[in-house]
């Protein structure tokens, strides 16, 4: 494209005489000024596009004047300029009843609100701020509308509240376990007393040909004592599990840890008759240094996750062994539905979950990961869709002195 020069307008003979030198200098200054304006405009445009919030400039008649680049991440409209804001943002044919833009126009002050946008597959929650922009006479010329997507923030907040609630329930459960110990002690004590009186009862009933009464009495007291001892073990494991003393490491046998954890899981496993729990424990004590309550939390979480992964029938195998030198290994393997490759790398991220909504808040495996890190250990996962999963926890044996781990 050919540009028109000053010499083309006034003729070369006048420009040669220098009559329009001053005009030429002014035009050069204007060109420089325009180039600077274009540069500033592009710089401002880049800044607005770099802001992560959706920005829109709206006129007093609710028509969109400008939107930044983020707009197109949420709305599939190529040219929103000139369209009504309530038509674009809310899918309405008339202005909204509660409108921060209207308030900003009427009061000349910024206004804030939030709303839920249900039009997409996932309900999006926005926080909206409408800020008036004034002309040189102090009148509101346009309104800058800033829309921030706070969906993830609200979801994390809800999950945090749920985690706090579960922690409170855990504390209450520990208190209930303490209270249960008292009646259990009384039942167990009286049962022991009755059992000690069985020989005297046998003497009184010696002349009675029917010995079924004595046999029933013996069976009943024996069963009561066995069940009391089982309840006492479960309560003891719950109290050990709920203990907040995480900094003290003791000598722990992984085989005993597995046995105690299985007692806690007895009821859950009983509710799932299609699940077969297999224990493949090392023939001798698999001893490590660690915090029993926290490691029990890891094992319980892994087993419960394995149960959730099995839809109806399947097998969960808990294995203790010595693999890597200086490390004992605790393995939880299931024959469930497995985990897709795109989700494997996200398993230990807080609030990420592969379970359906309402069944998990996604912090179990992240907590397990932190616990294993505190024990200077490592947790690995191997899984394929439809082929189950294997979670392998490797913990340093940490034997003091000259003690050595068993030969593998």
């Amino acid at each position: 494209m050919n540009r028109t020069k000053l010499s083309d307008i006034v003729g070369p003979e006048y420009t040669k005489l220098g009559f329009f030198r001053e005009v030429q200098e002014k035009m050069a200054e204007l060109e420089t000024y325009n180039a600077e304006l274009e540069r500033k405009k592009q710089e401002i445009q880049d800044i607005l596009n770099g802001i992560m919030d959706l920005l829109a400039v709206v006129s007093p008649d609710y028509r969109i004047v400008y939107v930044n680049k983020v707009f197109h991440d949420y709305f599939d409209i190529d040219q929103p300029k000139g369209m009504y804001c309530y038509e674009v943002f809310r899918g309405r044919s008339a202005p909204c009843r509660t409108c921060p833009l209207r308030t900003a126009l009427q009061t000349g002050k910024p206004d804030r609100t939030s709303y839920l946008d249900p039009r997409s597959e996932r309900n999006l929650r926005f926080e909206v701020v409408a800020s008036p922009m004034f002309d040189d006479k102090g009148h509101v010329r346009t309104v800058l509308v800033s829309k921030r997507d706070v969906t993830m923030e609200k979801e994390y907040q809800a999950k945090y509240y749920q985690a706090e609630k579960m922690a409170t329930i855990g504390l209450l459960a520990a208190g209930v376990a303490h209270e249960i110990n008292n009646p259990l002690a009384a039942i167990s004590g009286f049962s022991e007393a009755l059992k000690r009186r069985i020989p005297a009862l046998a003497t009184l009933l010696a002349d009675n040909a029917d010995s079924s009464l004595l046999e029933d009495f013996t069976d009943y007291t024996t069963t009561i004592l066995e069940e009391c001892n089982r309840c006492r073990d479960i309560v003891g494991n719950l109290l050990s599990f709920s203990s907040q003393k995480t900094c003290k490491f003791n000598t722990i046998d992984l085989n005993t840890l597995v046995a105690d954890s299985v007692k806690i899981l007895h009821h859950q496993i009983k509710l799932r008759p299609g699940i077969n729990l297999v224990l493949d424990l090392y023939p001798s004590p698999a001893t490590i240094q660690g915090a029993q309550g926290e490691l029990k939390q890891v094992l319980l979480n892994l087993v419960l996750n394995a149960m959730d992964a099995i839809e109806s029938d399947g097998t969960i195998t808990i294995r203790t062994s010595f693999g890597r030198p200086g490390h004992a290994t605790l393995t939880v393997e299931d024959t469930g539905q497995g985990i897709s490759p795109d989700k494997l790398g996200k398993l230990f991220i807080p609030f990420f979950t592969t379970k359906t909504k309402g069944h998990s808040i996604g912090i179990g495996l992240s907590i397990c990961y932190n616990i294993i890190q505190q024990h200077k250990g490592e947790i690995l996962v191997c899984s394929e869709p439809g082929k189950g999963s294997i979670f392998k926890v490797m913990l340093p044996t940490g034997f003091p002195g000259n003690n050595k781990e068993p030969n593998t």
Side-chain angles (χ1 to χ4, degrees):
M1 179 178 177
N2 297 326
R3 299 180 59 185
T4 303
K5 301 179 181 179
L6 181 63
S7 58
D8 297 330
I9 300 175
V10 300
E13 61 277 8
Y14 294 101
T15 55
K16 290 180 180 179
L17 295 175
F19 291 130
F20 297 96
R21 186 185 302 275
E22 184 177 350
V23 176
Q24 288 178 321
E25 291 176 354
K26 291 293 183 182
M27 291 185 67
E29 291 177 4
L30 286 174
E31 288 180 357
T32 303
Y33 182 71
N34 287 334
E36 182 67 17
L37 285 179
E38 285 295 328
R39 190 186 66 80
K40 289 288 186 182
K41 179 182 177 181
Q42 186 60 44
E43 183 178 340
I44 294 173
Q45 183 72 36
D46 293 340
I47 293 174
L48 294 176
N49 287 332
I51 296 176
M52 300 305 296
D53 297 341
L54 191 159
L55 299 179
V57 177
V58 183
S59 64
D61 61 349
Y62 303 104
R63 291 185 181 274
I64 296 176
V65 178
Y66 165 84
V67 293
N68 67 341
K69 187 178 180 181
V70 181
F71 172 88
H72 300 286
D73 295 338
Y74 294 95
F75 299 94
D76 190 18
I77 302 176
D78 293 334
Q79 297 295 334
K81 185 177 180 180
M83 299 178 65
Y84 290 108
C85 62
Y86 51 80
E87 177 185 5
V88 173
F89 296 136
R90 299 293 188 93
R92 297 170 57 94
S93 58
C96 306
R97 181 176 301 176
T98 303
C99 179
L101 189 147
R102 183 191 301 117
T103 304
L105 288 171
Q106 293 173 351
T107 64
K109 297 180 180 180
D111 190 41
R112 181 190 302 268
T113 189
S114 61
Y115 76 96
L116 186 67
D117 187 355
R119 291 182 298 162
S120 59
E121 295 180 0
R122 177 190 183 193
N123 291 341
L124 298 177
R125 188 176 294 275
F126 289 99
E127 282 189 356
V128 183
V129 178
S131 304
M133 302 172 67
F134 302 93
D135 58 19
D136 54 359
K137 296 182 180 179
H139 300 142
V140 178
R141 180 179 70 240
T142 52
V143 176
L144 176 63
V145 178
S146 172
K147 297 167 65 71
R148 172 169 293 182
D149 184 356
V150 294
T151 307
M152 292 292 293
E153 179 182 336
K154 295 296 182 182
E155 289 179 356
Y156 284 160
Q157 188 179 58
K159 291 176 179 179
Y160 172 77
Y161 290 153
Q162 180 66 15
E164 287 289 317
K165 186 195 302 183
M166 296 304 295
T168 303
I169 292 175
L171 292 175
L172 293 174
V176 170
H178 274 290
E179 294 299 323
I180 290 176
N181 264 338
N182 296 328
L184 278 178
I187 295 172
S188 179
F190 284 118
S191 299
E192 287 283 359
L194 290 173
K195 191 173 182 180
R196 287 195 300 268
R197 284 168 172 78
I198 290 179
L201 182 62
T203 303
L204 294 174
L205 297 176
D207 298 334
N208 192 340
D210 186 8
S211 62
S212 60
L213 179 62
L214 181 61
E215 293 176 357
D216 290 343
F217 195 85
T218 304
D219 290 341
Y220 293 162
T221 53
T222 301
T223 302
I224 291 173
L225 282 172
E226 288 176 353
E227 293 303 311
C228 281
N229 291 334
R230 191 168 69 88
C231 291
R232 180 193 61 197
D233 293 341
I234 292 174
V235 170
N237 287 329
L238 284 174
L239 293 176
S240 174
F241 174 61
S242 64
S243 175
Q244 296 184 1
K245 297 179 181 180
T246 60
C247 58
K248 186 177 180 181
F249 280 28
N250 298 312
T251 301
I252 298 173
D253 177 17
L254 287 181
N255 293 341
T256 304
L257 183 78
V258 171
D260 291 342
S261 301
V262 169
K263 291 178 182 178
I264 297 178
L265 293 167
H266 176 76
H267 179 68
Q268 282 79 5
I269 296 174
K270 189 177 180 180
L271 295 176
R272 299 284 300 275
I275 293 180
N276 180 31
L277 183 63
V278 177
L279 301 184
D280 181 14
L281 305 182
Y282 197 77
S284 60
T287 310
I288 63 166
Q289 295 292 318
Q292 179 175 344
E294 294 197 347
L295 291 178
K296 193 176 295 184
Q297 180 177 359
V298 172
L299 179 58
L300 290 174
N301 191 282
L302 294 180
V303 175
L304 289 174
N305 283 348
M307 293 177 64
D308 291 336
I310 298 175
E311 295 181 351
S312 56
D313 299 339
T315 301
I316 299 175
T317 303
I318 305 177
R319 184 178 296 108
T320 57
S321 61
F322 286 92
R324 180 187 300 177
H327 288 75
T329 303
L330 175 65
T331 305
V332 177
E333 182 177 353
D334 66 75
T335 59
Q337 54 190 338
I339 306 169
S340 59
D342 61 311
K343 295 179 180 179
L344 277 177
K346 303 177 183 178
L347 289 180
F348 302 107
I349 298 176
F351 300 116
F352 175 81
T353 178
T354 60
K355 301 178 185 178
T356 57
K357 189 174 183 181
H359 287 79
S360 172
I361 61 175
I363 62 173
L365 286 178
S366 66
I367 291 176
C368 291
Y369 179 83
N370 290 331
I371 291 174
I372 300 305
Q373 289 291 306
Q374 291 172 4
H375 284 74
K376 307 299 181 183
E378 188 176 356
I379 181 169
L380 303 176
V381 56
C382 178
S383 181
E384 292 184 31
K387 296 184 179 181
S389 303
I390 301 175
F391 283 84
K392 186 174 294 187
V393 178
M394 289 169 287
L395 298 164
T397 53
F399 290 108
N402 296 324
N403 291 339
K404 297 181 180 180
E405 64 185 70
N407 294 325
T408 57

